[in-house]
Amino acid sequence: LRARAGDGIGIGQSSWGPTGFGFVPSEAAARAMVDSARQHGLLDPALTVHVVGLRNRGAQLLLRAPG
């Protein structure tokens, strides 16, 4: 993971690859970054980019009795 302190921007790559991810302060910032990267030829046209929001809460465990 690589992040710049104080600006809320970071990038990383999953160990399962070839999946990368990034985070920025807003959806608008994410879309602007993707658009700019495409316009400057920095993203392969075959690359699929998804802009999504975070769940921003912990995991939930549902326990059920057997039977």
Side-chain angles (χ1 to χ4, degrees):
L1 173 66
R2 184 172 185 160
R4 294 189 326 204
D7 61 10
I9 296 173
I11 59 171
Q13 179 180 348
S14 76
S15 61
W16 294 83
T19 300
F21 61 89
F23 54 91
V24 295
S26 69
E27 179 182 347
R31 294 196 184 282
M33 290 177 76
V34 171
D35 290 345
S36 178
R38 288 211 190 279
Q39 289 173 1
H40 289 90
L42 300 174
L43 291 178
D44 186 311
L47 182 67
T48 301
V49 177
H50 298 277
V51 175
V52 299
L54 298 175
R55 180 174 278 181
N56 207 21
R57 62 183 161 98
Q60 288 182 312
L61 226 63
L62 301 175
L63 302 176
R64 298 176 190 213

